[in-house]
């Protein structure tokens, strides 16, 4: 158990974003924005399907992942139902369910004054946060830097991202 003397201030948050769904990217954006608001350095490293959140062709059309998402019961209060009511995962595969869930989530995020993904990334970038794309994933998905939004600070290898993350008080999070 740590004591108050053991606590060191958090100086930098480095967040690895590997999920390309709307519900997969927002936690990373909220954590990065929260860090910047607290004066903490923040870097986002988008890898694998997380690149969906940086690619100009997909960035503004991200969807809630409904297939196999066993935690969709958390959204039931948005429909006026109890959170304990299960959402059968097979229903996520029905046509229109993902679009409905996406619309519902976007509406709730707007009520909470949470900006759309592109605007949120611009906000984080404007506040000094850094945004990186994974070179390996870029190569795998045949993407070029010009395919990504203009706020991307660079395309890095994993080793370069670790170098970027170096330093006392750095925490690496995986979403």
């Amino acid at each position: 158990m740590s004591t108050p003397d053991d606590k060191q201030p958090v100086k930098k948050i480095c967040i690895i974003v590997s999920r390309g769904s709307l519900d997969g990217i927002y936690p990373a954006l909220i954590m990065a924005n929260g860090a910047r608001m607290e004066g903490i350095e923040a870097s986002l490293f988008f890898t694998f399907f997380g690149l969906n959140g940086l690619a100009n062709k997909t960035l503004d059309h991200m969807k809630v992942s409904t297939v196999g998402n066993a935690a969709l019961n958390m959204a039931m209060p948005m429909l006026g139902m109890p959170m304990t009511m299960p959402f059968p995962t097979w229903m996520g595969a029905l046509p229109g369910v993902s679009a409905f869930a996406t619309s519902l989530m976007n509406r709730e995020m707007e009520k909470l004054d949470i900006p759309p993904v592109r605007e949120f990334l611009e906000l984080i970038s404007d506040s000094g946060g850094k945004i990186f794309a994974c070179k390996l994933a870029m190569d795998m998905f045949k993407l070029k830097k010009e395919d990504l939004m203009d706020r991307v600070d660079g395309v890095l290898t994993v080793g370069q991202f670790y170098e970027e993350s170096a330093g006392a008080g750095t925490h690496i999070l995986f979403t």
Side-chain angles (χ1 to χ4, degrees):
M1 185 165 181
S2 67
T3 65
D5 292 336
D6 293 340
K7 291 188 176 184
Q8 299 295 317
V10 176
K11 295 180 180 173
K12 186 189 294 185
I13 295 290
C14 298
I15 303 170
I16 300 166
V17 185
S18 65
R19 294 181 54 212
S21 62
L22 199 59
D23 52 311
I25 192 170
Y26 265 121
L29 300 180
I30 291 167
M31 295 296 290
N33 185 58
R36 293 305 307 138
M37 291 176 67
E38 296 296 323
I40 298 169
E41 290 181 52
S43 294
L44 292 160
F45 183 72
F46 289 78
T47 188
F48 284 82
F49 298 108
L51 287 173
N52 219 16
L54 295 181
N56 280 317
K57 289 183 178 175
T58 56
L59 167 57
D60 299 314
H61 311 286
M62 297 180 74
K63 305 279 185 241
V64 170
S65 174
T66 55
V67 176
N69 187 345
L72 274 179
N73 61 297
M74 294 297 293
M76 292 311 225
M78 290 186 230
L79 299 171
M81 296 178 212
M83 182 182 6
T84 54
M85 183 173 183
F87 181 87
T89 57
W90 62 266
M91 284 182 65
L94 294 176
V97 172
S98 180
F100 175 72
T102 299
S103 170
L104 194 62
M105 184 171 173
N106 281 332
R107 188 175 62 216
E108 291 299 319
M109 295 302 259
E110 189 175 331
K111 283 182 192 173
L112 295 170
D113 204 24
I114 304 293
V117 172
R118 182 182 297 273
E119 187 179 331
F120 213 167
L121 285 163
E122 291 170 352
L123 182 74
I124 291 166
S125 177
D126 288 345
S127 71
K130 294 181 180 174
I131 300 168
F132 300 107
C134 172
K135 182 174 182 340
L136 176 90
M138 293 280 290
D139 291 346
M140 183 172 64
F141 294 131
K142 314 290 185 227
L143 291 171
K144 297 181 176 132
K145 189 165 187 277
E146 56 266 22
D147 295 325
L148 307 178
M149 71 175 301
D150 61 355
R151 299 301 179 98
V152 174
D153 293 293
V155 178
L156 305 180
T157 65
V158 171
Q160 290 170 320
F161 179 68
Y162 286 148
E163 287 176 23
E164 170 71 22
S165 305
T170 297
H171 294 260
I172 297 178
L173 308 174
F174 199 92
T175 65

